[in-house]
Amino acid sequence: MNKKLVIANWKMNPQTLLEARKLFSTTKNTASRLKKTKVVVAPPFIFISSLAGTKSRLYLGAQNVFWETRGAFTGEISPSMLSEMGVQYVIVGHSERRAIGETDEIVSKKLKTLIREEIIPILCVGESERDNHGHYLSFLSTQIKKSLAGIQKRNIKNIIIAYEPIWAIGKTASDAMDSHKLHETVLYIRKVLSEMYGRDIAKAVSIIYGGSAEPGNVAELMKNGNVMGFLVGHASLDVKGFSEILKIVDKS
Ligand code: 13P
């Protein structure tokens, strides 16, 4: 998994299937011209089956999943339902879901189910604020350790970690994280992974960044931030801007 990776998290957008189709097909065109970058779109569940089907260089993701495989769980979606639709990636533990009750324990259950189903989990972690005493580091460490609780060494390489500091989400490029601070944080995440799984495994895990990734900052974040890609929110809904991001990442 040494290709660069950009994941579009559409969140609860767009509002119609027509718009979703347009956005998907333009993104597909750009993705097909990239050489070194894998592109994933995670639309709302309801659009997935309409966007699936044709073989293309654009991969499908989902924004959530349930941890049980079948049964009486009203309103939930199972991993095998997603697999059947061609979904290969699922975002787990996004801060917007954690804010409405998704705990580290739930995250860990979802990761295990996804691994069993051979779907690649994108585990989101990130602090809500930074302080001068480094408390955010111990927060991050605990969040990573609890979210990965019970995940075995042989499976960890198949999980992508998306570092998304909550304070940088939904803003503009100038409010996003500084690339040198990102670099430090990525090193710290690898240190935590190394304590859990050893250095070689920690080095092999793919880490991407999310939080106001825009055309104006991705080149710098990629160059000095030590990440192999991005989880993009609002900028992935802007056809032109997202194409630009993809081209910049591919060239970086
Ligand atoms: P923005 O790119 O809108 O800041 O969102 C980031 C995010 O939450 C992606 O999952």
Side-chain angles (χ1 to χ4, degrees):
M1 222 192 299
N2 42 17
K3 266 200 160 183
K4 292 180 250 188
L5 178 70
V6 179
I7 301 164
N9 176 8
W10 286 359
K11 306 192 179 182
M12 204 169 68
N13 300 292
Q15 299 309 303
T16 66
L17 177 58
L18 187 66
E19 286 173 88
R21 281 205 169 116
K22 274 193 205 154
L23 192 54
F24 194 80
S25 91
T26 330
T27 306
K28 192 157 80 178
N29 288 343
T30 314
S32 70
R33 290 194 290 270
L34 304 179
K35 296 200 167 55
K36 295 181 277 181
T37 312
K38 206 167 184 179
V39 188
V40 179
V41 168
F45 282 140
I46 195 145
F47 298 140
I48 289 177
S49 65
S50 306
L51 301 175
T54 54
K55 270 244 165 283
S56 81
R57 304 268 304 279
L58 183 58
Y59 296 82
L60 265 177
Q63 299 173 21
N64 188 23
V65 69
F66 195 56
W67 62 82
E68 295 287 352
T69 48
R70 64 180 60 237
F73 301 103
T74 303
E76 298 294 347
I77 305 280
S78 76
S80 54
M81 291 171 185
L82 294 176
S83 265
E84 211 217 335
M85 290 295 140
V87 167
Q88 296 185 39
Y89 296 80
V90 172
I91 299 169
V92 177
H94 192 282
S95 57
E96 287 149 16
R97 295 207 56 80
R98 291 180 186 268
I100 52 171
E102 184 150 315
T103 61
D104 290 330
E105 289 69 27
I106 293 176
V107 169
S108 137
K109 284 203 257 187
K110 290 183 175 181
L111 292 179
K112 284 178 203 143
T113 311
L114 288 172
I115 288 166
R116 270 202 304 276
E117 202 66 36
E118 297 183 350
I119 297 178
I120 299 173
I122 298 143
L123 165 64
C124 299
V125 296
E127 75 283 358
S128 57
E129 57 182 9
R130 292 225 154 184
D131 58 286
N132 295 328
H133 310 287
H135 294 315
Y136 67 95
L137 292 175
S138 47
F139 171 86
L140 254 183
S141 160
T142 307
Q143 195 179 46
I144 294 167
K145 286 181 177 160
K146 284 188 165 175
S147 301
L148 292 175
I151 306 292
Q152 295 176 359
K153 210 171 180 169
R154 66 188 152 87
N155 292 321
I156 185 71
K157 269 192 287 187
N158 299 323
I159 295 178
I160 291 159
I161 297 195
Y163 170 59
E164 295 208 307
I166 299 172
W167 51 266
I169 293 178
K171 308 236 168 91
T172 58
S174 56
D175 300 301
M177 194 162 195
D178 160 79
S179 61
H180 298 285
K181 288 211 175 87
L182 177 58
H183 186 110
E184 276 169 22
T185 315
V186 169
L187 289 178
Y188 180 75
I189 293 172
R190 291 204 194 280
K191 179 176 159 293
V192 175
L193 293 173
S194 169
E195 282 162 20
M196 297 176 75
Y197 299 104
R199 268 181 67 184
D200 290 348
I201 303 248
K203 264 194 343 216
V205 173
S206 302
I207 302 180
I208 60 177
Y209 168 78
S212 302
E214 291 188 347
N217 60 1
V218 287
E220 168 64 19
L221 289 168
M222 193 96 203
K223 184 164 167 248
N224 291 319
N226 202 14
V227 286
M228 51 89 68
F230 299 94
L231 181 52
V232 185
H234 65 270
S236 69
L237 300 167
D238 165 26
V239 171
K240 256 183 76 191
F242 193 55
S243 290
E244 248 183 276
I245 291 180
L246 295 179
K247 288 180 207 155
I248 296 169
V249 170
D250 202 49
K251 273 197 234 130
S252 298

Coordinates of all heavy atoms in Angstrom, one line a residue, residues 9 11 94 96 164 168-170 211-213 231-234, ligand 1:
N9 N -14.6 12.5 1.9 CA -15.7 12.2 2.9 C -16.8 13.3 2.6 O -16.7 14.4 3.0 CB -15.2 12.4 4.3 CG -16.3 12.2 5.3 OD1 -17.4 11.8 5.0 ND2 -16.0 12.4 6.6
K11 N -19.6 13.4 3.8 CA -20.5 13.7 5.0 C -21.9 13.6 4.5 O -22.3 12.8 3.7 CB -20.1 15.0 5.7 CG -18.6 15.0 6.0 CD -18.1 16.1 6.9 CE -16.6 16.0 7.2 NZ -16.1 17.0 8.1
H94 N -15.0 8.7 13.1 CA -14.9 10.1 12.8 C -15.3 10.9 13.9 O -16.3 10.6 14.7 CB -15.7 10.4 11.5 CG -15.4 11.7 10.9 ND1 -15.9 12.9 11.5 CD2 -14.7 12.1 9.9 CE1 -15.5 13.9 10.8 NE2 -14.7 13.5 9.8
E96 N -17.1 13.5 14.1 CA -18.5 13.8 14.1 C -19.4 12.7 14.6 O -20.5 12.9 15.1 CB -18.9 14.3 12.7 CG -18.3 15.7 12.4 CD -17.9 16.0 10.9 OE1 -18.4 15.2 10.1 OE2 -17.2 16.9 10.7
E164 N -7.0 13.5 12.3 CA -7.9 14.7 12.0 C -8.1 15.5 13.3 O -9.0 15.2 14.1 CB -9.3 14.2 11.6 CG -9.3 13.5 10.3 CD -10.7 13.7 9.6 OE1 -11.7 13.4 10.1 OE2 -10.6 14.1 8.4
A168 N -9.2 21.7 13.5 CA -8.9 22.1 12.2 C -9.9 21.7 11.1 O -9.8 22.1 10.0 CB -7.5 21.5 11.8
I169 N -11.0 21.1 11.6 CA -12.0 20.6 10.6 C -13.0 21.7 10.3 O -13.4 22.5 11.1 CB -12.8 19.4 11.3 CG1 -11.8 18.2 11.4 CG2 -14.0 19.0 10.4 CD1 -12.4 16.9 12.0
G170 N -13.3 21.7 9.0 CA -14.4 22.6 8.5 C -14.0 24.1 8.5 O -14.9 25.0 8.5
G211 N -8.6 17.7 7.8 CA -8.9 19.0 8.6 C -8.6 20.2 7.7 O -7.4 20.6 7.7
S212 N -9.6 20.6 6.9 CA -9.4 21.7 6.0 C -8.2 21.5 5.0 O -7.5 22.4 4.8 CB -9.2 23.0 6.8 OG -10.3 23.2 7.6
A213 N -8.1 20.3 4.5 CA -7.2 20.1 3.4 C -7.8 20.7 2.2 O -9.0 20.4 1.8 CB -7.0 18.6 3.2
L231 N -7.7 13.0 4.0 CA -9.2 12.7 4.2 C -9.8 14.1 4.0 O -9.6 15.0 4.9 CB -9.5 12.1 5.5 CG -10.9 11.7 5.9 CD1 -11.5 10.8 4.8 CD2 -11.0 10.9 7.2
V232 N -10.5 14.3 2.9 CA -11.0 15.6 2.6 C -12.5 15.7 2.8 O -13.2 14.9 2.2 CB -10.6 15.9 1.1 CG1 -11.0 17.4 0.7 CG2 -9.2 15.7 0.8
G233 N -12.9 16.7 3.5 CA -14.3 17.0 3.7 C -14.9 18.0 2.7 O -15.0 17.7 1.5
H234 N -15.1 19.2 3.1 CA -15.8 20.2 2.3 C -15.2 20.4 0.9 O -15.9 20.6 -0.1 CB -16.0 21.6 3.0 CG -14.7 22.3 3.3 ND1 -14.0 22.1 4.5 CD2 -14.0 23.2 2.6 CE1 -12.9 22.9 4.4 NE2 -12.9 23.5 3.3
Ligands
13P1 P1 -13.0 19.4 6.2 O1 -12.1 19.0 5.1 O2 -14.3 19.9 5.8 O3 -12.3 20.1 7.3 O4 -13.4 18.0 6.9 C1 -12.4 17.1 7.3 C2 -13.0 15.9 7.7 O5 -13.7 15.8 8.7 C3 -12.9 14.7 6.8 O6 -13.3 13.6 7.4

